[in-house]
């Protein structure tokens, strides 16, 4: 069961990367359908992160960040799936998106400090985390600019988030193999 959940966790990262590539190459359709697309991807990512937390919480330090990340993903995913066109979502979408991006970045930065102890590629998570925080702050304080370039920002964010999850998955696999698990 744990192997299956680890595979699903990897699949969620790959799905984020594919959704990001789609957003970059289909800006008009992305703007029209981004709430539903983002809702599905974040809901799945959240479910898999929560599952990863419960199956690996005793094996990795800082697993609570994985749980917090998963809960935020599920909440945002449900909101976007059930209220994609409502005035509420339209008015606060950029704020929610900004906070979500910043939270993902902080999680990646925190995980990079943990990974530094046992993996020489820890800096990949740090770079992705910093990029996510910068994108999040940009969309939070420049909503007009963000609205104009939303498809590009979402594409880059999804790809970065997917890389962060795939990198975290890879590091956990390497860590587990060094322990003989």
């Amino acid at each position: 069961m744990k192997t299956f959940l680890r595979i699903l966790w990897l699949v969620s990262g790959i799905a984020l990367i594919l959704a990001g590539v789609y957003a970059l190459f289909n800006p008009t359709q992305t703007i029209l359908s981004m709430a539903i697309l983002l809702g599905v991807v974040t809901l799945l990512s959240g479910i898999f992160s929560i599952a990863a937390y419960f199956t690996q919480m005793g094996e990795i330090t800082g697993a609570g960040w994985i749980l917090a990340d998963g809960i935020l993903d599920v909440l945002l995913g449900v909101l976007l799936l059930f209220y994609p066109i409502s005035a509420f979502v339209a008015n606060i979408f950029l704020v929610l998106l900004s906070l979500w991006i910043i939270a993902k970045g902080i999680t990646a930065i925190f995980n990079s400090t943990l990974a530094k102890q046992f993996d020489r590629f820890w800096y990949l998570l740090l770079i992705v985390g910093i990029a996510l925080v910068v994108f999040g702050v940009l969309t939070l304080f420049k909503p007009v600019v963000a609205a104009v370039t939303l498809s590009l920002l979402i594409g880059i964010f999804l790809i970065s988030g997917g890389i962060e999850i795939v990198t975290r998955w890879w590091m956990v696999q390497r860590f587990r193999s060094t322990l003989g698990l």
Side-chain angles (χ1 to χ4, degrees):
M1 184 64 167
K2 285 184 179 183
T3 301
F4 178 70
L5 289 174
R6 282 194 298 271
I7 290 170
L8 289 179
W9 193 25
L10 175 62
V11 168
S12 74
I14 293 169
L16 283 173
I17 293 169
L18 293 174
V21 171
Y22 177 84
L24 288 176
F25 290 104
N26 298 290
T28 304
Q29 290 178 337
T30 298
I31 290 170
L32 296 174
S33 63
M34 71 183 150
I36 294 171
L37 172 70
L38 197 56
V40 168
V41 172
T42 57
L43 182 62
L44 290 174
S45 177
I47 289 169
F48 297 147
S49 289
I50 291 169
Y53 165 79
F54 283 110
T55 59
Q56 298 176 7
M57 65 183 162
E59 298 173 10
I60 51 178
T61 307
W65 284 99
I66 294 172
L67 178 63
D69 184 49
I71 291 170
L72 285 173
D73 284 358
V74 167
L75 291 174
L76 183 61
V78 168
L79 180 69
L80 293 173
L81 283 174
F82 289 103
Y83 304 103
I85 305 175
S86 73
F88 171 73
V89 172
N91 288 329
I92 67 161
F93 178 74
L94 286 176
V95 173
L96 290 174
L97 180 65
S98 299
L99 295 175
W100 184 54
I101 293 170
I102 292 167
K104 286 281 200 186
I106 291 169
T107 300
I109 291 168
F110 178 79
N111 285 332
S112 75
T113 62
L114 297 175
K116 187 177 184 178
Q117 300 171 29
F118 65 87
D119 198 299
R120 63 187 169 117
F121 297 108
W122 65 272
Y123 62 89
L124 294 174
L125 275 177
L126 180 64
I127 292 168
V128 169
I130 291 169
L132 291 173
V133 170
V134 168
F135 287 131
V137 170
L138 181 85
T139 59
L140 187 61
F141 291 109
K142 298 286 188 184
V144 174
V145 172
V148 172
T149 60
L150 196 53
S151 182
L152 176 66
L153 290 173
I154 288 175
I156 291 170
F157 167 69
L158 290 172
I159 292 169
S160 298
I163 290 170
E164 186 264 335
I165 288 174
V166 170
T167 303
R168 189 176 354 144
W169 175 87
W170 179 64
M171 288 179 176
V172 167
Q173 299 312 308
R174 287 183 48 136
F175 179 71
R176 290 174 51 81
S177 70
T178 59
L179 294 179
L181 299 174

